[in-house]
Amino acid sequence: MAAWMLLASVGAAAAAPTQGGTVGLDPWAVYETAWFDTVGVADGLPHSTTTAIVQDTRGVIWIGTFGGLARYDGYRMQVFGQEPDSYAGAVLPDAYVRALMPLADGGLLIGTNAGGLVRFDPVTTRFHVYPIGAGGTSNGKIFAIARARERDAFWVATEGGIDRVDVGTGKITRESGQPGDAKDMLARTFVVTEDKAGNVWAGADNGLFVRHPGGRFQRVVSSDPAIDEILRDQVWALFQDSQSRLWVGTGQSGAVYIDTQGHAQLVPGFSGKNGMARRRTVRAFHETPQHVLWSATDGAGVVTYDFNTQQLRILSHDAAMPSSLPGDITRDIFQDSTGNIWVATELGAAHYDPNGRKVFSVLPSPLQSHTLSNANVHSVFVDPRGRIWLGLGMGRIDVLDLGKGTMHHLQLGGEQAERDVQAFVVAPDGSIWAGAQGISRIDPDTFALRSSMIPSLDGRLILSMQRDGNQILIGGYDGLFQYDTVTGKLIQMRHDAHDPASIVGDQVRHIVRMPDAWWFATISGISIGYDGQPGFVNLRHDPADPASLPQDYTGSMVFDSHRRLWLGTFGGIAYLDTFHPHGPFRFGLIAAREGLVNTKINALLIDHDDRVWASMANGVAMVDTASHRVSDLGIRDGLRIPSYIHRAAAEAPGGELMFGGLGGLTVIRPYWVAPQIVPPRMAVTHVSVNDKSLPLADVPEDGGRIVIGADGRNLRVDFALLDYRAPMETHYAYRMDDADTGWNEVAHGIPPSAIYTNLASGTYTLRLRATMRGLDARTVETSIRIDVTPRWYESPWTLLAAVALAVAAFFGLVSLRTLYLRRRAELLQAQVDARTRDLKAANERLDHLAGTDELTGSLNRRRFLEQAERVRQGAANDGIPFSLVLLDIDDFKTVNDTFGHLAGDTVIRETMRVISSMCRADDLAGRFGGEEFILCLPGALAEHALDITERVRHALAALVIVHGDYRIRITVSAGVAMWRSPESLNSLLGRADEALYEAKNDGRNRSRIAGL
């Protein structure tokens, strides 16, 4: 099951504003994916299984796990466990945390599995363990903690019954199992809550019980046998919603609710053993401000229920979608102060931002019907019926019908089956033509496919298509084609260097109808074909003319409402404030100086408010056409797909903007406004003086202060923006007034900390700053006061006496020092020269060693990737191809197990020797790790690289490696991938790795070429 939110997370499934201001269902609901970020063991959690999540009064998140308690500020994890080296020496009596409850003083109540009830004291940074038994809790196993209506009072559900604790006095009273309680109420109680009317509800091992004010616990029953059976199941979760209904989560029967008249009601699809919970325990409830109930289940993921539409949705783990819920065993749900919804799972704490939905992704997964059938979206097209056609990799096409909420998956056949689908057009007969390697016809009603519509174009890669009456204009790598659908006549137009009226370039990437003309965008400029005139008028970049086309690699073109033309190029966004069909064409430019983070513009779209949206190689930007102000979209807006494809863009019927990328489809709602949330807090989360942590109660808030005693001079202040939303897109800086001359920028990817050593005595102001990326980009600042107490010798009189003594000593020693320095000058100079030579030689040796694999003497992984990246950048500039080859020794573990690890080392050295001996002078060869090797072959097409790889493979297969008395033979498998512009090195490595695994899966001792 995939992680589908379908707008249920924020209630927009019920109603979403449209462009005209009316209200209706969001047609994108069934395609939108909830994107979860996960905090796991790799981030510092003591155990992957998380059980409870809360936020303290400072805004810091606390996460309970099977292995301890963690305090998390978005960057750092402070862990409390049973080990003596737990944070600040605070030790839990039991590392299995079941329940958490934040307290007003910044502390916590903690329920453990066997260690009883614990209170964390932020003043002492220690745990207070309440007694078990007489004067304490009924049992050491604490299942749940709930607030009572009285201040500082809490209900505690335990293995032995219900207790009530007053944290102010420390008094604990036994509340269940008393005279007058239902005799069949079992002591084992999983959950307890007190509603607004003062009724205390208890979920026990054998059903639901209630104690009305002044009464005793009685079983809750229903006259409906089906409901009564559910109410007698184990009850694990209780929650009173905004409509004062009490929700009851059971062990195997899903959930029901008790209305304000006291009657239990079924929820179709959620109640009963055949409901969405699939007999899994419902462990927790949470209602969002948009009135959507989230229900955590122990094995079926999260079930959401929209109070407005009564729609149920499932959020669950999808193995093909890393952004889905990490695991289906969920134990708690919590929404923090800035709106993030946290889910405690068995594979970490996942959090989802329901407010970052101006942008969302349609992602690939083979496990769902409403997900893409391929990761890469190469073309986006809207047909006359408003259906969205997505041209994908490997000959796949997905058709989204927003009106019906369906998605059809099509697969081209023949030569097109393995090629990217890069163009669509509506033919005169109403059919849809798709261009990949050749052209296929698709019936718009039945989706029946017919390959080879134009046989003479079979085998040619199609980049663009447009209809001109009965003519189809077709752009490819071989120029421009004009096909007459009536006569079947095909005319080809190519660039002729001797004819200035020929098309400007043979790679025709985009075709646009303009007033009185067709414009053809190529990688060599733009050709204009005027109606009724032969030949083309060509626009190119002229280095001597700043108003010429800024770059010859061109693509998207759009007009705004003022008839200004906006043009995407690989040199930025060009524009014509005044467009005349026949010119002159004097372009303005929006590029890096105006704020574009990348000038390689892949596609442009314009919304109804005349804002230009541009997809780039590494993101999406919005440009205000009036001011030319550039805003970069970020994760806080919902942008998750990092890289985009040339020309893959279109406007959806509802005004949404769609951009195709490497990883899925990005959809932008230009007019969607996020709900108002509490502005994120910039907070100090940890302070240490001379490497000793301050108690959490002493960590200052905004405007607070830190006092450093006379024995302390080293200070570390950890801080963070507590919105938990895009830590890698938040830039931090700090400065200490009277100590720093400017802001100290925190390096990207490093947890923000302000560190000072040897502070002089005095009073300082430490300023902390966070800058967020996105359409709502802003800067948040806070400051604290630092008081450094002077040491005894730092008094004014002591300093004056020291200065006087220093002056006298200076004049007394100056003559002796001068004589000494003269005698030592020549000797020191000679030593400096000798040491400079030694240092230079040592640095050269260190640089060589840092890039060399110590076993084989070849390039190591780091140095190889550095040099391979230079090859890729060169290829991007001059267009010369290159290929990567990954080779892996087959069954290398058998060599180690049979002959020993020293023999394995000999095999690796000999393998590297053979590989290196067969490389050309410009080739790069290195050890990629373990028994894996890598080659970079500049100038080599895939077939040439395969030939070199095969020679290496045969040479290694024929080699007999001698190690002592052993004679060892090996074979290798290899994957070959040729670089395709503008592909990153990581993507190229991934494709080579896929080809290597294909070779392994096909039987080893063979080579395979990665597909495009």
Side-chain angles (χ1 to χ4, degrees):
M1 297 292 291
W4 291 110
M5 195 58 252
L6 312 186
L7 303 190
S9 65
V10 294
T18 63
Q19 178 63 18
T22 60
V23 175
L25 292 177
D26 186 342
W28 287 97
V30 294
Y31 309 103
E32 183 178 355
T33 304
W35 192 294
F36 285 94
D37 294 302
T38 301
V39 180
V41 173
D43 303 291
L45 275 183
H47 197 285
S48 63
T49 300
T50 55
T51 54
I53 304 173
V54 296
Q55 188 173 29
D56 67 19
T57 55
R58 293 175 177 267
V60 177
I61 295 293
W62 292 75
I63 305 171
T65 77
F66 275 12
L69 176 64
R71 179 177 183 264
Y72 179 61
D73 68 359
Y75 298 88
R76 287 161 289 259
M77 200 79 68
Q78 296 165 342
V79 176
F80 302 84
Q82 288 184 282
E83 297 78 11
D85 59 348
S86 292
Y87 175 74
V91 178
L92 280 169
D94 178 14
Y96 181 176
V97 175
R98 278 187 170 270
L100 295 173
M101 178 62 66
L103 301 177
D105 64 356
L108 294 175
L109 275 182
I110 305 154
T112 70
N113 187 60
L117 184 67
V118 181
R119 179 181 179 182
F120 173 71
D121 187 344
V123 176
T124 62
T125 319
R126 291 292 184 271
F127 293 108
H128 167 71
V129 181
Y130 290 92
I132 301 171
T137 58
S138 300
N139 192 277
K141 178 175 283 191
I142 309 296
F143 286 105
I145 306 170
R147 294 186 184 277
R149 290 198 300 170
E150 291 81 3
R151 179 182 175 85
D152 293 334
F154 297 88
W155 300 99
V156 182
T158 80
E159 181 82 11
I162 298 173
D163 300 323
R164 186 176 184 275
V165 59
D166 187 315
V167 296
T169 63
K171 182 180 179 181
I172 299 176
T173 57
R174 178 74 181 270
E175 298 292 327
S176 65
Q178 301 300 318
D181 287 342
K183 296 187 183 317
D184 63 342
M185 180 179 179
L186 296 180
R188 192 180 197 206
T189 310
F190 300 122
V191 64
V192 61
T193 191
E194 183 175 5
D195 66 20
K196 300 171 186 175
N199 303 303
V200 179
W201 301 80
D205 198 26
N206 63 335
L208 179 66
F209 296 83
V210 64
R211 188 182 78 182
H212 300 296
R216 300 307 306 169
F217 284 103
Q218 300 298 320
R219 177 179 288 281
V220 178
V221 297
S222 172
S223 58
D224 185 332
I227 297 177
D228 197 59
E229 181 183 2
I230 295 174
L231 294 176
R232 291 177 182 273
D233 194 356
Q234 291 181 335
V235 174
W236 282 85
L238 294 170
F239 175 76
Q240 189 173 29
D241 67 20
S242 57
Q243 300 176 32
S244 296
R245 299 173 298 186
L246 184 78
W247 287 81
V248 182
T250 70
Q252 296 187 61
S253 305
V256 296
Y257 67 85
I258 298 174
D259 61 26
T260 53
Q261 285 74 43
H263 303 300
Q265 304 290 341
L266 296 173
V267 180
F270 195 13
S271 301
K273 294 182 178 179
N274 296 321
M276 281 189 174
R278 306 199 314 268
R279 293 177 178 260
R280 300 290 189 159
T281 304
V282 178
R283 300 292 294 265
F285 294 108
H286 172 75
E287 181 185 355
T288 72
Q290 291 73 34
H291 308 300
V292 177
L293 185 75
W294 285 48
S295 309
T297 75
D298 199 351
V302 173
V303 179
T304 68
Y305 178 66
D306 192 311
F307 291 165
N308 301 303
T309 65
Q310 288 76 55
Q311 289 183 327
L312 288 163
R313 306 290 188 219
I314 285 287
L315 285 165
S316 58
H317 175 63
D318 185 335
M321 198 178 292
S323 60
S324 69
L325 200 67
D328 288 338
I329 299 176
T330 61
R331 290 178 169 84
D332 194 18
I333 297 175
F334 171 76
Q335 191 161 19
D336 67 27
S337 60
T338 55
N340 300 298
I341 300 176
W342 296 73
V343 181
T345 81
E346 83 274 26
L347 291 173
H351 57 95
Y352 162 67
D353 177 12
N355 298 316
R357 293 181 54 250
K358 193 178 194 73
V359 185
F360 67 92
S361 306
V362 182
L363 299 176
S365 172
L367 306 179
Q368 295 294 321
S369 61
H370 287 76
T371 50
L372 302 182
S373 57
N374 186 273
N376 300 328
V377 181
H378 292 273
S379 53
V380 186
F381 175 74
V382 180
D383 71 12
R385 303 183 192 182
R387 297 178 300 185
I388 298 163
W389 296 68
L390 303 179
L392 310 175
M394 305 301 290
R396 296 184 179 274
I397 297 172
D398 289 345
V399 185
L400 284 67
D401 191 327
L402 299 180
K404 298 179 179 178
T406 60
M407 180 185 287
H408 293 276
H409 302 297
L410 309 179
Q411 173 67 65
L412 298 182
E415 293 187 359
Q416 303 204 69
E418 303 298 322
R419 293 294 182 177
D420 302 333
V421 181
Q422 302 195 68
F424 293 98
V425 71
V426 179
D429 64 357
S431 63
I432 305 295
W433 288 16
Q437 186 162 304
I439 296 176
S440 294
R441 179 187 185 277
I442 305 171
D443 187 293
D445 297 313
T446 65
F447 298 110
L449 289 165
R450 174 188 166 191
S451 299
S452 190
M453 277 302 298
I454 307 176
S456 57
L457 291 182
D458 290 349
R460 297 178 186 267
L461 295 177
I462 306 302
L463 298 176
S464 54
M465 293 191 292
Q466 284 283 9
R467 177 185 166 191
D468 184 11
N470 288 324
Q471 310 282 331
I472 303 294
L473 301 174
I474 304 165
Y477 285 94
D478 304 317
L480 175 67
F481 297 86
Q482 185 179 40
Y483 178 71
D484 192 311
T485 60
V486 177
T487 66
K489 183 179 180 180
L490 182 70
I491 300 173
Q492 182 180 13
M493 291 161 273
R494 302 199 63 172
H495 173 66
D496 183 350
H498 302 290
D499 181 4
S502 68
I503 195 165
V504 71
D506 284 338
Q507 193 176 138
V508 181
R509 304 198 66 88
H510 199 40
I511 305 172
V512 180
R513 180 62 187 174
M514 294 288 199
D516 303 327
W518 285 97
W519 284 41
F520 303 94
T522 79
I523 66 171
S524 305
I526 293 175
S527 287
I528 305 174
Y530 288 103
D531 296 345
Q533 297 183 18
F536 298 93
V537 174
N538 294 322
L539 306 179
R540 294 187 182 90
H541 172 62
D542 182 356
D545 183 2
S548 68
L549 199 65
Q551 222 271 358
D552 287 336
Y553 201 123
T554 55
S556 294
M557 307 173 205
V558 292
F559 281 104
D560 63 23
S561 63
H562 300 285
R563 300 301 296 167
R564 291 175 294 205
L565 175 65
W566 300 85
L567 172 65
T569 80
F570 270 24
I573 302 175
Y575 61 90
L576 292 171
D577 278 328
T578 303
F579 176 81
H580 298 289
H582 293 270
F585 303 110
R586 310 293 293 169
F587 292 98
L589 179 64
I590 297 174
R593 185 172 61 181
E594 287 72 31
L596 281 180
V597 296
N598 191 302
T599 58
K600 289 182 171 57
I601 306 302
N602 286 326
L604 293 180
L605 292 173
I606 194 158
D607 65 24
H608 300 165
D609 291 333
D610 276 351
R611 295 171 297 189
V612 173
W613 301 76
S615 69
M616 304 169 289
N618 62 348
V620 177
M622 185 196 74
V623 180
D624 184 283
T625 56
S627 66
H628 293 180
R629 180 178 177 269
V630 176
S631 300
D632 289 310
L633 278 68
I635 291 175
R636 288 181 174 86
D637 304 307
L639 187 72
R640 293 289 186 166
I641 295 174
S643 186
Y644 293 85
I645 294 176
H646 196 58
R647 301 172 298 104
E651 181 180 347
E656 300 87 2
L657 309 180
M658 302 174 290
F659 292 97
L662 295 173
L665 177 71
T666 291
V667 182
I668 300 173
R669 301 180 177 98
Y671 320 106
W672 188 81
V673 178
Q676 291 294 322
I677 61 172
V678 176
R681 296 175 56 189
M682 180 75 159
V684 176
T685 60
H686 174 257
V687 175
S688 65
V689 177
N690 282 2
D691 297 323
K692 182 179 180 181
S693 298
L694 293 186
L696 296 184
D698 293 341
V699 173
E701 299 191 57
D702 184 29
R705 71 171 187 164
I706 300 171
V707 177
I708 301 177
D711 58 343
R713 283 297 187 265
N714 300 332
L715 174 67
R716 177 191 179 100
V717 176
D718 296 335
F719 58 101
L721 186 69
L722 298 181
D723 71 344
Y724 303 96
R725 278 192 177 124
M728 299 304 291
E729 287 187 354
T730 305
H731 300 281
Y732 292 94
Y734 64 92
R735 65 172 294 169
M736 184 95 76
D737 290 353
D738 300 325
D740 296 323
T741 57
W743 287 93
N744 302 296
E745 300 289 338
V746 178
H748 183 68
I750 296 177
S753 299
I755 301 174
Y756 292 91
T757 58
N758 298 319
L759 281 171
S761 60
T763 299
Y764 305 89
T765 299
L766 177 61
R767 304 186 187 279
L768 310 171
R769 183 177 72 186
T771 301
M772 294 175 279
R773 176 184 176 182
L775 296 176
D776 191 28
R778 56 180 135 172
T779 297
V780 179
E781 291 189 14
T782 190
S783 63
I784 57 174
R785 177 179 169 181
I786 310 294
D787 293 330
V788 183
T789 304
R791 298 185 176 99
W792 66 268
Y793 53 80
E794 292 177 329
S795 67
W797 292 109
T798 303
L799 292 175
L800 182 61
V803 169
L805 289 174
V807 170
F810 172 78
F811 285 106
L813 295 174
V814 70
S815 58
L816 293 175
R817 174 174 167 77
T818 302
L819 178 63
Y820 172 77
L821 290 177
R822 287 176 180 173
R823 291 180 178 179
R824 293 283 297 168
E826 292 183 0
L827 178 60
L828 287 175
Q829 186 60 48
Q831 291 176 342
V832 167
D833 292 341
R835 290 180 181 178
T836 299
R837 289 192 299 272
D838 292 341
L839 280 173
K840 183 177 180 182
N843 285 335
E844 290 173 352
R845 288 195 299 273
L846 286 172
D847 183 68
H848 175 73
L849 290 173
T852 301
D853 176 61
E854 62 180 356
L855 180 59
T856 64
S858 64
L859 296 177
N860 62 15
R861 182 188 184 114
R862 181 179 68 83
R863 184 55 55 83
F864 178 92
L865 292 178
E866 289 176 355
Q867 297 190 15
E869 176 61 19
R870 296 192 189 102
V871 173
R872 189 198 69 80
Q873 292 175 1
N877 293 329
D878 56 32
I880 296 176
F882 75 96
S883 297
L884 281 188
V885 182
L886 280 174
L887 303 99
D888 187 90
I889 299 174
D890 297 324
D891 295 320
F892 183 72
K893 184 177 183 298
T894 302
V895 174
N896 280 334
D897 293 344
T898 305
F899 304 106
H901 288 277
L902 293 179
D905 290 347
T906 300
V907 169
I908 289 174
R909 283 193 295 269
E910 284 300 297
T911 301
M912 190 70 246
R913 180 187 63 78
V914 171
I915 292 172
S916 299
S917 69
M918 303 187 75
C919 289
R920 304 168 300 174
D922 294 334
D923 294 342
L924 301 175
R927 184 181 178 198
F928 204 58
E931 66 273 21
E932 198 171 15
F933 307 85
I934 189 166
L935 295 174
C936 178
L937 307 175
L941 298 173
E943 294 77 13
H944 186 197
L946 179 63
D947 181 61
I948 295 173
T949 304
E950 283 296 276
R951 292 203 303 271
V952 170
R953 186 176 65 81
H954 287 300
L956 288 170
L959 178 67
V960 177
I961 300 172
V962 178
H963 179 79
D965 295 331
Y966 299 125
R967 302 293 184 268
I968 306 170
R969 287 183 176 274
I970 63 166
T971 62
V972 297
S973 299
V976 180
M978 186 178 78
W979 179 74
R980 58 181 186 183
S981 177
E983 185 179 31
S984 69
L985 191 59
N986 280 340
S987 175
L988 180 59
L989 279 168
R991 292 195 298 110
D993 192 56
E994 290 175 1
L996 171 60
Y997 275 98
E998 182 181 349
K1000 291 283 189 181
N1001 292 334
D1002 287 348
R1004 300 185 175 88
N1005 191 21
R1006 60 199 67 214
S1007 305
R1008 290 290 182 265
I1009 297 180
L1012 296 178

